[in-house]
Amino acid sequence: MSSKRSISSQGSHFDKDLDGQLESRPEALKGNELLEYVNINRRQLNDNGDSLCIGAGYGDKSEDGSTTCRLDLFSTELIKAKKASHLSNSKEKAKGEILKTYSLDTLKNIAELGCISGKAYKHLQISENEQFFDDNKYEITCSLEDQFGNGYLKNSAERVGGENSHWKHRAVWRFIEMIAIEEVAKSNK
């Protein structure tokens, strides 16, 4: 019989044997509970992804009796929770402005030809787009990184020459194109 100590915080907990083995909780955390659990416990677990995964309820017993992380399930749920959190925290002001600015026909042209074609006629000026980005940084960053992965903007800026390369302008165009593609897909249903 192994002795256990419980690591808990704000209602979330998992059991850890004194020899360091994690035991999975019976139900897996989802949504805000999962995000809260990860934020609270990542330092305590030294950013050990397997421990976070198992502690959040995404562990499976292997044939040898040890508990292993089901990374596929854990990462899928974590991504879904982060997306939902971003959407709920964002008032989608920038998206609303884009949808008010362009008709569905114009959005179809943007989806097909891209902003570089000039179809996003209200978003051609670099300085205005950079200001639009600054005014809506959180929403645009979250949307692009939810779609294209963490570090997307940083990598994009580096790829095109850094801070002085008008990467914010390009990010706004990418954001508009993403909205156009989504709206066209919705209209085709």
Side-chain angles (χ1 to χ4, degrees), residues 100-166:
K100 285 181 203 166
T101 301
Y102 300 110
S103 69
L104 182 59
D105 285 337
T106 302
L107 290 173
K108 286 179 182 177
N109 287 328
I110 292 169
E112 183 180 332
L113 303 170
C115 290
I116 198 163
S117 68
K119 299 298 180 183
Y121 56 88
K122 293 280 190 173
H123 292 87
L124 297 176
Q125 298 301 313
I126 291 172
S127 61
E128 290 174 12
N129 279 353
E130 290 180 347
Q131 185 62 53
F132 182 79
F133 179 90
D134 289 339
D135 293 345
N136 300 285
K137 184 177 183 173
Y138 181 78
E139 180 182 348
I140 293 170
T141 300
C142 288
S143 295
L144 292 174
E145 291 193 348
D146 282 348
Q147 183 71 29
F148 302 110
N150 289 339
Y152 172 77
L153 290 177
K154 179 180 175 275
N155 294 338
S156 180
E158 288 172 358
R159 195 172 46 252
V160 295
E163 202 55 42
N164 297 322
S165 66
H166 307 300

Side-chain angles (χ1 to χ4, degrees), residues 26-82:
E27 74 289 339
L29 297 176
K30 296 188 183 304
N32 285 334
E33 267 190 324
L34 177 60
L35 292 176
E36 184 179 315
Y37 172 81
V38 169
N39 286 333
I40 290 169
N41 291 290
R42 70 186 302 171
R43 280 198 187 119
Q44 189 172 2
L45 295 172
N46 297 320
D47 284 326
N48 182 318
D50 285 338
S51 294
L52 286 167
C53 172
I54 293 166
Y58 293 90
D60 249 350
K61 292 282 185 193
S62 64
E63 288 180 16
D64 68 1
S66 64
T67 304
T68 58
C69 169
R70 285 291 314 270
L71 186 59
D72 57 332
L73 299 176
F74 178 67
S75 59
T76 299
E77 189 58 40
L78 190 58
I79 289 167
K80 198 170 15 170
K82 282 187 175 186

